[in-house]
């Protein structure tokens, strides 16, 4: 904890050293993009993108999950998306998953177990599966959920909003982007 306290204490000096004018941040709030990702502490969107304060509007959730839109029961996630799209008028939303995601691994385990496939000491392979492919699928399913939000639909139609699916490999540092025409994730 002391490390974090020490970093907070020197933040103003670090900001000045990086020519970050903190007072300017209060004058406008126009991020370059919104990035939706997992809240996993090993994945740091601003570090990955070298975003400076004000560049990225972040939504971090358990597993990067975007709940289905429900007008009767708005969620914090749906309100955050609406704010980014309607008020901040972001032109790009990135949904970024990552390798070694506990949410994806747990979902795979639950799915296989529900199918009657179990892990044994002799053969742990059935529960291993293709975790990377499952991670890619998870990102695309969250992008699908996002594309059905009422605030997103008209902006997609008039092409003033673009959705992107990314996948970050924690162990290699590589980030892949989904290319719909190729139906695959390729390095950025």
């Amino acid at each position: 904890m002391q490390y974090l306290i020490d970093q907070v204490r020197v933040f103003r000096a670090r900001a000045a050293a990086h020519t970050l004018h903190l007072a300017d941040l209060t004058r406008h709030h126009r991020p370059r993009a919104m990035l939706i990702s997992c809240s996993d502490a090993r994945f740091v969107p601003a570090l990955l993108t070298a975003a400076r304060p004000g560049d990225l509007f972040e939504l971090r959730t358990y597993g990067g999950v975007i709940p289905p839109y429900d007008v009767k029961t708005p969620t914090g996630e749906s309100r955050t998306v609406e704010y980014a799209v309607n008020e901040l008028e972001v032109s790009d939303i990135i949904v970024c998953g990552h390798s070694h995601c506990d949410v994806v691994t747990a979902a795979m385990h639950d799915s296989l177990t529900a199918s009657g496939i179990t892990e044994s000491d002799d053969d742990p392979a059935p529960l291993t599966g293709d975790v990377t492919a499952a991670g890619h699928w998870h990102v695309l399913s969250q992008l699908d959920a996002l594309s059905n939000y009422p605030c997103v639909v008209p902006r997609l139609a008039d092409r003033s909003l673009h959705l992107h699916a990314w996948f970050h490999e924690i162990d290699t540092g590589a980030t892949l982007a989904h290319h719909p025409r190729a139906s695959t994730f390729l390095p950025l």
Side-chain angles (χ1 to χ4, degrees):
M1 184 66 187
Q2 189 58 47
Y3 172 80
L4 298 174
I5 293 168
D6 292 344
Q7 294 307 307
V8 168
R9 287 181 176 152
V10 298
F11 172 72
R12 287 185 290 175
R14 279 196 330 267
H18 291 282
T19 64
L20 179 62
H21 304 288
L22 298 175
D24 291 346
L25 296 174
T26 64
R27 294 192 186 105
H28 68 288
H29 188 198
R30 290 284 175 232
R32 296 173 187 256
M34 177 181 201
L35 193 140
I36 302 171
S37 66
C38 183
S39 52
D40 190 310
R42 299 170 296 175
F43 178 72
V44 183
L47 182 62
L48 175 68
T49 61
R52 294 168 57 95
D55 284 350
L56 240 136
F57 190 72
E58 291 184 39
L59 172 59
R60 298 188 68 178
T61 70
Y62 175 74
V65 173
I66 301 167
Y69 187 84
D70 183 353
V71 70
K72 294 178 184 174
T73 314
T75 64
E77 295 89 352
S78 66
R79 289 182 176 182
T80 301
V81 169
E82 288 173 333
Y83 179 72
V85 172
N86 295 334
E87 303 300 321
L88 298 177
E89 299 177 344
V90 295
S91 59
D92 294 278
I93 300 178
I94 303 155
V95 176
C96 187
H98 65 88
S99 63
H100 308 283
C101 182
D102 294 335
V103 174
V104 171
T105 303
M108 285 182 67
H109 180 273
D110 293 347
S111 176
L112 291 171
T113 302
S115 300
I117 300 170
T118 58
E119 178 178 41
S120 72
D121 290 337
D122 296 334
D123 185 15
L127 295 183
T128 304
D130 190 349
V131 179
T132 300
H136 292 177
W137 177 86
H138 178 73
V139 170
L140 293 174
S141 66
Q142 301 318 306
L143 202 68
D144 284 345
L146 179 63
S147 67
N148 290 315
Y149 274 48
C151 62
V152 171
V153 171
R155 298 269 319 271
L156 289 175
D158 72 13
R159 297 182 182 205
S160 64
L161 179 65
H162 306 280
L163 302 181
H164 310 273
W166 289 4
F167 188 81
H168 180 71
E169 297 174 348
I170 290 176
D171 48 336
T172 68
T175 300
L176 312 172
H178 184 257
H179 292 268
R181 288 188 179 142
S183 292
T184 191
F185 281 78
L186 299 171
L188 282 175

